Amino acid sequence: MHSEIVLPDLYEVTISEIQGGLESGRFRSTHLVKAYLARIEEVNLKGAALHAVSEINATALRRAEDLDAERSEHGSRGPLHGIPILIKDNIVTAHELGMNTTAGSYALEGSVAPRDAFVISKLHEAGAIFIGKASMAEWACFRGEGVPDGFSARGGQTTSPYYPYLNPLSSSSGSAVASAIGIAAATLGSETTGSIVLPASRNNIVGIKPTVGLVSRSGGRAVILIWNKSCLACLPSVIPISPNQDTVGPLARCVADAALLLSVIVGNDPSDTCDIGLPPPQEWPDYTRALNAGALRGKRLGVPRALFQDYPIINDAFQKSLDIFRGLGAHVIDPVDFPSAHELKQSKAEDIVLTVDFKPALNKYLAELVEVPTGVRSLADVIKFNLAHADIELPAPYYTDQSQLLASEASQIDEKYYTALAENRELGRTRGIDAVLQAHQLDALILPTDSYATKPTGVSGYPIISVPLGHYPQNVEPTPLKPTPIHSCAPNMPFGIAFIGTAYSEYKLIGLAYAFEQATKARLQTRAYPLATPITQLRDVILQ
């Protein structure tokens, strides 16, 4: 390697730029893995101690060596050949891949899943390298409302890299932080309600929560036993909250990388038999073909003002963005509101469905594990484990709550549950997103990600994409002034803009999001604070 060879900056590099370097021979996947692992070492437990990664994959370097040899002998498998990524710690991986799947809990440390999630198999076949598991909010923010976002017993308290001790938001927090500062090429997260797009918003990156069912919810091939009227019989690709709302999706520094990951992980999976009233598409698009800087021209975009929340700085930035949309040729219809908007914001139906779904879904997952060294085989066992190991699972003063686990354990499937499930679909789909799109002949809805945006998309199962929009000014006072244990608001705090559509409208939404991203380059307006910014680059590894 000669000193004049230009190497990409791992903080901002895209997957296509990495692939170009691999193809040209400027560096190898082994160099990438070593560089990313060194960057993790700098800021995960040392430096800013972001706690973004819960586990390193000891087999990653060997996988990189094999893929380098394969590229040399047979050529590339495709755009993800030799690309290092992190995956959220609730996405199921078989023991052979060398990583735990724990949802952040010591109760599942050492547990052995019978198979990889379908999405993991797809990525493995595409040549991706799993360098580790990203930290997450324990049980995907479903242990108790009092538990701060981003905390898990195994991973610690994840924080955003844009201000010390800043809330990283929701459960895919480690995945978002890792993408934001380039300690992986990109990451996978999961969402039930907001857990991809909210941390994407807070950490200045792109997050795509796809239509529920577009990405397989299955953990692979197995016998399916249908045992109630909802879709709880699905074998999960993630440690579940609710098969009615759970989905895997990508988090990345740009729309192009997120679209590429989505293109790889979608596909027909006969094992995914869950039926939530959204028949899967007949074709699986290549979402990278939607990347058109002119995609906004002539499109009709609605602004559902009734779903905004009281965040003046964010709402002002959104208001200014409307001129950008108009300048790019879009027709902005403002306001347009859901017929169900008021009821949707007040409804408790989602809480009922998620609370009830969690127990049978988790019990089924735990029962199917090949081995669980702790002996945990049910939600009741998890609750007992936490009490017996309160020093690590329920440490005072901030992390003692497991009220949601207790509520789910006490719940049951009854008519109230089915009424709530129907209410969700009525408010989110029929009198929600679909109603307003049809009434105004809209292509999509746009609004701040930090709003009620994730409630209708969560209960409907419809897609939402978040793209960077702006960040808080430096003169904002942190809230609270002293973190307890994290700040909810702070100087330099990023926020995003959301694009919402009907079922399986990802292709259109990706085009719109890409056009906005290319026109604004909002991600580049701010960077992580110095102690949270890794300095190791490819050159450091290559010259060793």
Side-chain angles (χ1 to χ4, degrees):
M1 295 282 179
H2 299 291
S3 59
E4 64 269 18
I5 292 177
V6 176
L7 297 171
D9 177 4
L10 294 179
Y11 185 93
E12 207 62 54
V13 67
T14 67
I15 291 175
S16 64
E17 290 169 343
I18 294 174
Q19 199 58 246
L22 292 169
E23 285 292 308
S24 68
R26 283 181 287 153
F27 50 85
R28 299 188 296 274
S29 292
T30 49
H31 296 136
L32 282 169
V33 169
K34 290 176 181 178
Y36 281 128
L37 293 181
R39 289 169 71 84
I40 293 170
E41 177 75 11
E42 287 181 63
V43 298
N44 193 52
L45 301 181
K46 300 177 182 177
L50 299 173
H51 291 270
V53 180
S54 61
E55 183 171 351
I56 296 298
N57 185 1
T59 71
L61 192 56
R62 184 170 71 249
R63 165 81 167 163
E65 291 169 350
D66 291 344
L67 287 166
D68 282 338
E70 181 181 316
R71 183 189 298 273
S72 177
E73 295 173 14
H74 305 292
S76 173
R77 298 187 188 188
L80 285 185
H81 186 117
I83 301 297
I85 65 172
L86 284 161
I87 52 179
K88 187 176 178 180
D89 187 27
N90 63 345
I91 300 176
V92 180
T93 52
H95 185 68
E96 290 74 16
L97 279 185
M99 297 175 289
N100 283 285
T101 304
T102 72
S105 172
Y106 282 112
L108 293 186
E109 191 165 54
S111 62
V112 178
R115 63 193 72 84
D116 288 328
F118 184 80
V119 295
I120 295 299
S121 298
K122 296 274 287 183
L123 288 167
H124 195 269
E125 291 166 7
I129 301 169
F130 307 119
I131 58 173
K133 287 288 181 81
S135 298
M136 59 177 286
E138 190 166 338
W139 301 111
C141 288
F142 216 65
R143 201 183 79 182
E145 288 187 7
V147 181
D149 286 350
F151 170 78
S152 70
R154 284 191 76 236
Q157 178 62 66
T158 304
T159 57
S160 172
Y162 288 90
Y163 191 84
Y165 305 108
L166 176 60
N167 186 342
L169 273 191
S170 208
S171 74
S172 298
S173 44
S175 298
V177 170
S179 278
I181 56 173
I183 56 178
T187 63
L188 281 190
S190 68
E191 177 158 330
T192 306
T193 296
S195 287
I196 289 173
V197 296
L198 290 176
S201 174
R202 181 56 52 86
N203 293 285
N204 202 30
I205 60 167
V206 176
I208 301 178
K209 177 251 175 174
T211 306
V212 175
L214 181 71
V215 176
S216 173
R217 293 153 291 176
S218 168
R221 295 183 298 274
V223 177
I224 308 291
L225 299 175
I226 306 298
W227 55 278
N228 70 46
K229 293 190 287 183
S230 81
C231 61
L232 296 179
C234 287
L235 297 174
S237 60
V238 300
I239 297 175
I241 292 178
S242 167
N244 284 294
Q245 294 186 205
D246 295 344
T247 183
V248 172
L251 297 108
R253 290 180 291 278
C254 63
V255 175
D257 286 354
L260 172 59
L261 277 174
L262 184 62
S263 297
V264 172
I265 63 176
V266 300
N268 182 51
D269 177 13
S271 297
D272 187 352
T273 61
C274 296
D275 180 9
I276 62 166
L278 299 174
Q282 299 302 307
E283 297 180 351
W284 306 97
D286 175 358
Y287 294 105
T288 64
R289 294 182 178 273
L291 303 174
N292 174 10
L296 282 163
R297 194 172 301 114
K299 296 298 188 295
R300 292 175 58 83
L301 307 176
V303 180
R305 294 273 172 183
L307 298 182
F308 283 37
Q309 291 183 292
D310 187 21
Y311 300 127
I313 292 173
I314 295 174
N315 294 345
D316 182 60
F318 174 84
Q319 187 64 32
K320 291 175 181 176
S321 78
L322 297 182
D323 288 335
I324 297 171
F325 284 105
R326 294 183 183 105
L328 293 169
H331 304 288
V332 178
I333 297 85
D334 180 16
V336 300
D337 283 315
F338 296 13
S340 66
H342 178 73
E343 295 170 75
L344 181 70
K345 289 189 291 184
Q346 300 299 318
S347 174
K348 301 299 182 184
E350 182 180 28
D351 296 339
I352 294 170
V353 170
L354 300 188
T355 296
V356 173
D357 276 350
F358 182 59
K359 180 172 68 171
L362 181 64
N363 286 351
K364 181 173 177 60
Y365 173 81
L366 295 174
E368 290 175 348
L369 292 174
V370 175
E371 182 180 347
V372 188
T374 63
V376 168
R377 289 288 183 176
S378 68
L379 175 56
D381 290 344
V382 171
I383 293 168
K384 292 175 185 175
F385 179 91
N386 290 346
L387 293 172
H389 302 85
D391 56 327
I392 55 174
E393 280 292 340
L394 306 172
Y398 301 116
Y399 309 113
T400 59
D401 189 7
Q402 60 171 341
S403 58
Q404 182 59 64
L405 301 186
L406 292 168
S408 292
E409 177 59 27
S411 71
Q412 59 183 354
I413 296 173
D414 54 18
E415 286 308 311
K416 185 179 178 182
Y417 166 80
Y418 292 113
T419 299
L421 192 58
E423 180 178 323
N424 279 341
R425 295 176 185 180
E426 173 76 12
L427 298 179
R429 298 178 191 175
T430 310
R431 293 198 296 122
I433 294 171
D434 288 332
V436 74
L437 291 176
Q438 292 164 13
H440 298 275
Q441 298 181 309
L442 301 175
D443 291 286
L445 301 168
I446 53 172
L447 70 166
T449 309
D450 294 73
S451 66
Y452 286 100
T454 61
K455 185 154 189 181
T457 55
V459 300
S460 65
Y462 286 2
I464 178 172
I465 300 177
S466 184
V467 175
L469 174 62
H471 62 282
Y472 273 54
Q474 294 296 333
N475 62 356
V476 169
E477 190 173 82
T479 305
L481 197 57
K482 181 180 179 180
T484 55
I486 49 180
H487 297 293
S488 60
C489 180
N492 200 43
M493 184 178 82
F495 50 83
I497 185 170
F499 297 78
I500 293 173
T502 190
Y504 304 113
S505 61
E506 284 83 356
Y507 192 94
K508 180 184 288 185
L509 295 180
I510 286 168
L512 304 179
Y514 178 78
F516 179 81
E517 173 198 58
Q518 294 303 298
T520 59
K521 301 289 186 181
R523 172 173 159 79
L524 304 180
Q525 295 172 8
T526 189
R527 285 175 65 93
Y529 63 93
L531 199 61
T533 306
I535 61 173
T536 300
Q537 296 287 350
L538 277 166
R539 186 172 303 280
D540 302 311
V541 172
I542 292 169
L543 295 178
Q544 281 180 349

